[in-house]
Amino acid sequence: MTQVIDPSETSAPAVPPAPAVAPLSDLVVRDAREFGVYARTGGWAFALLVARSVRPGGQAAGETPKVSAKEFAQLAGCSPERVMHYYKAWDRAADDGLVPHFEALRPGQEVELPDADVWLTYYVSRTSATSERGTAIAEAAEAEGIRPTKALEVAENPTALRAAILADPSTARTARAALLDRLREDPELQAELARDVVRTDDLKKAVATESRAADRIGYVADRRVRADQDPGRADRRRPGPAARGGRAPSVAEAYDTMKSLVAETVEADPRLRVQERRTKFYSSLQKATRAFEELTFDDAQDFYEDGMVRRLEELQQAIGGCLAALRGAGGNQSHG
């Protein structure tokens, strides 16, 4: 028996009509296009608005209808200083040939703009950049190959710099290297840092330890030549690899060995004994001179005590005695 199928049962389900598409708002289109311009060019888009519409001080009769930075700022609802930051950024770029000069622009004119990445090279929003300090920072940044805005931002936020130094050893090492470079050209900072070291017990101990180590290395280096003048004695006193267990001698071991060798050599030669005493005298004199030069009396009224004066008077008498002894020795040598 043949089954009769109703055609209506096999037809596809009805498709609902597509919703009507709302017309695209002109305002949305304008915003999107303006956003695209800014995404591609950054601050150049705003600088162009200033460059083609602003003439500082206003315009003279017959000139292109531009306005002063003050009037433009009033229309824009911002400060004239902000307008001039954009104006000066455009001016610097025009000097470098990246954009047209102001005189070649008229209100409403469109020009090809540089990439957004270049903007920060010319734009400096901070007022400190125009000061003597800001100029020096900007010049140093350019010498280091970085953008002045980065250096100015760090200089204006010393708390952030301190936090980075405290938290990051790498930043601390960079700051230390920069500080050492600065010290070479800043005697006042040298004096301040020396006072800080003297007043901080841990730093003072560290400096003393490093100084002793440097003295030992210098002693070994300075005396090695004299010791090698007698190869036989040097070979007898210098420990071989077997005595050291096959390892290289440490600075302390080398110092002790060379000290014993020098003492033996000096004891056997009267001329070397005199030379050794002369060297020690000059070394002590240099240390005493350095210690005295580190004394500062700019704020003596804050820490003055009578005991200080007495100690200095005693030191003066001792120096007088030294001078008398040396002058007497010099006189005896001239008579002899």
Side-chain angles (χ1 to χ4, degrees), residues 317-332:
Q317 293 175 1
I319 293 175
C322 290
L323 288 172
L326 288 174
R327 285 170 180 163
N332 291 336

Side-chain angles (χ1 to χ4, degrees), residues 195-207:
R195 285 194 290 268
D196 290 339
V197 171
V198 170
R199 293 167 183 165
T200 306
D201 290 339
D202 291 342
L203 289 177
K204 189 161 56 175
K205 292 177 182 177
V207 170

Side-chain angles (χ1 to χ4, degrees), residues 3-78:
Q3 184 179 3
V4 178
I5 301 176
D6 186 353
S8 62
E9 294 179 359
T10 61
S11 61
V15 179
V21 178
L24 195 60
S25 169
D26 292 340
L27 296 177
V28 174
V29 173
R30 187 188 67 181
D31 286 349
R33 288 176 178 171
E34 289 183 358
F35 178 82
V37 170
Y38 183 80
R40 292 189 302 273
T41 64
W44 295 114
F46 298 122
L48 174 61
L49 304 181
V50 174
R52 68 192 185 186
S53 300
V54 171
R55 178 182 287 109
Q59 65 179 7
E63 290 181 333
T64 305
K66 295 185 178 182
V67 298
S68 67
K70 181 178 180 181
E71 187 174 353
F72 189 89
Q74 290 173 344
L75 293 171
C78 65

